[in-house]
Amino acid sequence: MGEANPSVLVIDDDLEFRDSVVRLLRTVGLPALQFSSVPDFLKADPPDGPTCLVLDVRMPGRSGLELQRDLAAANRQVPIIFITAHADVPMTVQAMKGGAIEFLTKPFRDQDLLDAVEAGLTRDRARRESERTLAALRERFDTLSSRERDIMLYVVAGRLNKQIANEIGIAESTVKVHRTNLMRKMKARSLPELSRMADTLNVSRPQQ
């Protein structure tokens, strides 16, 4: 099954500006949803596919920078492009330190916005792919028996079968069987690949 279509979410209290951005995005085939305020955005269900946020800095009520902080606190990693008619250096620095993709001052070139949106969607696709990979690895790791998990950690720490057998008090032939089984369950084709999986899972290893 393919990934859901990308979405661009436009939050700005200026209706004319929102409409112009949505029209621009549709010219390059990008669907967009628009919101007049931060509360309206927060009431909506998040899109299923890759997402990018085009966000006005100053709006009545909650500001764009406050929304950026709220999303970070809730661990909602949505790429943000800030738009403003009145930029200042501290505001720009705060937005970029918070992880914003771009900070555009009105009026801006259409291509600058499109380039920023594409960068944001690319980043969100990569994040979603990374999360899918991690979830699949966790599922595989969960299928390992406690003994197989122990042996996997010794293996990626560089221990030989004989050393592992001595460490945990079982026959070397038994270690080989467990090692074969865990490699199959983890779908690892080599020791370096298994080590990368352990790094991704952030599982601890025995001290050398």
Side-chain angles (χ1 to χ4, degrees), residues 20-65:
S20 69
V21 171
V22 168
R23 286 195 300 271
L24 173 64
L25 293 168
R26 286 176 179 165
T27 63
V28 293
L30 286 173
L33 300 173
Q34 53 176 303
F35 306 91
S36 61
S37 68
V38 170
D40 283 348
F41 163 75
L42 292 174
K43 283 185 278 189
D45 292 329
D48 292 330
T51 305
C52 181
L53 198 55
V54 176
L55 178 59
D56 191 8
V57 174
R58 289 194 174 102
M59 290 177 284
R62 295 190 67 74
S63 71
L65 291 173

Side-chain angles (χ1 to χ4, degrees), residues 93-157:
V93 170
Q94 183 179 344
M96 301 309 283
K97 279 187 174 179
I101 293 283
E102 186 59 270
F103 199 107
L104 298 175
T105 303
K106 302 175 184 176
F108 49 80
R109 294 190 317 128
D110 288 351
Q111 192 59 49
D112 289 340
L113 177 62
L114 293 176
D115 289 346
V117 166
E118 187 53 48
L121 292 174
T122 298
R123 179 185 291 188
D124 205 45
R125 287 188 189 97
R127 177 190 63 81
R128 292 163 65 87
E129 179 61 31
S130 177
E131 288 179 352
R132 281 194 294 270
T133 299
L134 179 57
L137 281 178
R138 281 179 176 152
E139 284 184 9
R140 293 180 213 165
F141 190 70
D142 288 346
T143 67
L144 301 182
S145 68
S146 58
R147 179 67 83 193
E148 287 166 348
R149 290 182 193 183
D150 288 342
I151 291 174
M152 172 178 165
L153 299 181
Y154 279 111
V155 168
V156 298

Side-chain angles (χ1 to χ4, degrees), residues 61-86:
R62 295 190 67 74
S63 71
L65 291 173
E66 287 174 317
L67 175 59
Q68 183 187 38
R69 289 195 295 269
D70 290 346
L71 292 173
N75 199 30
R76 284 182 64 181
Q77 301 178 46
V78 185
I80 295 176
I81 299 159
F82 277 109
I83 303 293
T84 185
H86 311 285

